[in-house]
Amino acid sequence: MACQTQAQTQDYWNKYFKDRDLQQINFDEIDLSLPMPEEEPFRQYYSIAKARHYLRRMESAVGRKLTFCVQTFGCQMNARDSEKLCGILRAVGYEEQETEEGADFVIYNTCTVRENANNKVYGRLGYLHGFKKKNPHMIIALCGCMMQEEKVVEKIRQSYRFVDLVFGTHNIFKFAELLVQTYEQSGMVVDIWEDTNEIVEQLPNERKYSFKSGVNIMFGCNNFCSYCIVPYVRGRERSRKPEEIISEIRRFVADGVIEVMLLGQNVNSYGKNLEEPVTFAQLLSEIDQIEGLERIRFMTSHPKDLSDELIEVMAKSKKICRHLHLPLQSGSSRLLKIMNRRYTKEHYLELVDKIRAAMPDIAITTDIIVGFPGETEEDFEETMDVVRKVRYDSAFTFIYSKRTGTPAASMEDQVPPDVVKKRFDRLLKEVQTIAAEKAEQLTGQTMEVLVESVNRQDPGLVTGRLSNNSVVHLPGDESLIGKIMNVKLEECRGFYYYGKLVV
Ligand code: 5AD
Ligand code: SF4
């Protein structure tokens, strides 16, 4: 009998939903008297329909619309995941609000790359508890990288019992289903997976900006740099199929998107594990041909995997932005080896030369860690040497943070905090001085700016970005948002510009 019901369910989904585009699905048409389908994404469509039903009941009980607030910590990958969470919450029927205060559903999408990211979340949870005491309907959910750590979940179970839902990075596609479980079950719902091979396509998602979007091309990381927790919390590398990526971008473009940011922890190893392997450069060439798309960005590039083929594709393209984020981490070949980065200082510098020879106007940015275990003054000077030789357009500098479970956490010779702080300050000063000198060189030129928003401080100005990712403020109004304009860079203020429209 159960078998027959499952077969009927399958028939039903095949008949009504199989080849329908997500946009054409009316969740209220879904027959909730049938059991939940096994197959994805139908299982999530069914869950959205069920959650809509519960939400309506709650709304009529309280006599008002219920609201949600998604707070994102960490990287662009998390920002994109948050857009997916927003898409589901909207499909369920919640209305968005920007702050946690008074929201009926609050979710923190967490980061754990450095210890201070974790501390921030614990601090904010205490503050959320205050709101929950005043609003009995409030649901608090936690997801993202931090939840993939066993000791974190244990702490939440014990000390933050008012949290309603906890899930991780591998099962984020199940959010709608977990939401239903939270409505139906009393007590905390916790669902953490160790890893997954699954990539579920065709789920609702949202875009923060109408004219630009992040696009995941791969998930996870296989590199195991010895300081980094990402491979443990984001799992093994999995690439999306090129046709899925291309058709998603085509849909975005049809909907007004002109810039995409291709996202992956290590985009240069894209496609290696697909059934029919494809290189990142090949993927880029295909995306480059999408009509209506104006700008293509990507991050992050691992120096060890950056191919000549990629440099060639970038140099030829008019759409691929003149910006490359190329994390250095350290300039000392000795430390790079212990970090398991699999390149040397010399290899990195040669790569930069090759990139600059092909694209003299490219902006190169980086990530640098100060105070990795065993870092000597000589090692640090090697880093300063690379900074002076490469002359980065900007650099994110981080103080090494010990992440339990990574090989570096048990290395002896952790560098004393006062030594790290002094080196960090020296590095920051050097990086900022060089970045300001580099930015100054463009002053007076007229360049294309994609206008992104009205300036927060001064509503008479709008703010946008150059192809090389630098920020430009110029007089203008809302009507310019989403347009690429010619702008004369009149004044450089360190790392951003003031400009004016050239017509
Ligand atoms: N401590 C400090 N910085 C780190 N990063 C990754 N792990 C750590 C850590 N344990 C930095 C690297 C990486 C960026 C995203 O975060 O520089 O490129
Ligand atoms: Fe972490 Fe290295 Fe993977 Fe980047 S490439 S996410 S630093 S392990």
Side-chain angles (χ1 to χ4, degrees), residues 261-483:
M261 163 74 94
L262 310 177
L263 297 169
Q265 301 295 348
N266 177 12
V267 292
N268 296 327
S269 70
Y270 169 80
K272 285 186 182 156
N273 300 326
L274 285 170
E275 262 171 48
E276 292 172 45
V278 176
T279 64
F280 178 53
Q282 285 166 339
L283 177 74
L284 266 181
S285 306
E286 278 198 50
I287 297 174
D288 200 49
Q289 286 161 32
I290 297 179
E291 217 156 297
L293 186 63
E294 309 263 359
R295 280 184 170 186
I296 304 166
R297 299 185 183 279
F298 56 85
M299 75 185 328
T300 294
S301 279
H302 194 307
K304 81 176 165 63
D305 296 312
L306 199 146
S307 66
D308 292 351
E309 188 195 9
L310 174 64
I311 299 174
E312 205 178 302
V313 169
M314 286 182 80
K316 268 200 222 139
S317 168
K318 295 220 165 17
K319 296 182 182 174
I320 302 174
C321 287
R322 287 294 183 256
H323 173 216
L324 192 66
H325 187 66
L326 197 62
L328 169 71
Q329 313 301 3
S330 168
S332 152
S333 297
R334 187 187 78 84
L335 276 195
L336 285 169
K337 193 164 174 45
I338 305 172
M339 286 177 163
N340 194 30
R341 291 291 288 175
R342 286 172 279 173
Y343 54 85
T344 60
K345 174 185 178 186
E346 290 68 32
H347 171 201
Y348 186 96
L349 290 172
E350 275 165 30
L351 185 60
V352 168
D353 284 347
K354 218 168 9 173
I355 295 163
R356 288 236 169 95
M359 293 166 281
D361 56 341
I362 198 163
I364 299 183
T365 60
T366 201
D367 293 341
I368 299 170
I369 298 175
V370 181
F372 181 82
E375 184 188 73
T376 62
E377 187 55 30
E378 290 72 43
D379 292 319
F380 178 68
E381 275 303 332
E382 297 276 10
T383 300
M384 292 288 270
D385 187 44
V386 176
V387 166
R388 289 184 196 114
K389 288 198 163 111
V390 174
R391 297 182 58 76
Y392 292 105
D393 293 82
S394 88
F396 294 104
T397 49
F398 304 108
I399 286 182
Y400 166 73
S401 168
K402 191 173 174 172
R403 309 310 291 128
T404 310
T406 62
S410 50
M411 287 178 191
E412 286 169 8
D413 244 355
Q414 304 274 335
V415 186
D418 56 323
V419 175
V420 178
K421 180 74 177 63
K422 280 193 194 125
R423 287 182 190 159
F424 182 82
D425 291 345
R426 276 162 66 199
L427 175 68
L428 191 64
K429 200 163 160 237
E430 190 71 53
V431 156
Q432 286 177 341
T433 309
I434 294 171
E437 285 168 12
K438 292 215 66 177
E440 184 61 51
Q441 289 169 0
L442 293 183
T443 312
Q445 293 199 28
T446 297
M447 302 187 95
E448 288 187 339
V449 171
L450 169 56
V451 179
E452 299 193 337
S453 57
V454 172
N455 190 293
R456 281 205 192 169
Q457 272 90 40
D458 181 349
L461 296 177
V462 290
T463 299
R465 279 176 196 275
L466 299 176
S467 169
N468 78 7
N469 212 33
S470 295
V471 169
V472 183
H473 306 295
L474 59 140
D477 60 29
E478 242 180 5
S479 67
L480 296 178
I481 293 178
K483 295 193 177 133

Side-chain angles (χ1 to χ4, degrees), residues 194-228:
E194 277 201 8
D195 208 345
T196 185
N197 288 323
E198 206 160 358
I199 298 179
V200 179
E201 301 284 354
Q202 291 286 331
L203 288 176
N205 65 57
E206 212 179 70
R207 295 195 312 269
K208 192 169 164 210
Y209 297 94
S210 60
F211 55 90
K212 68 169 187 176
S213 183
V215 174
N216 296 109
I217 62 165
M218 60 196 301
F219 304 93
C221 180
N222 283 355
N223 291 311
F224 291 95
C225 299
S226 62
Y227 50 82
C228 186

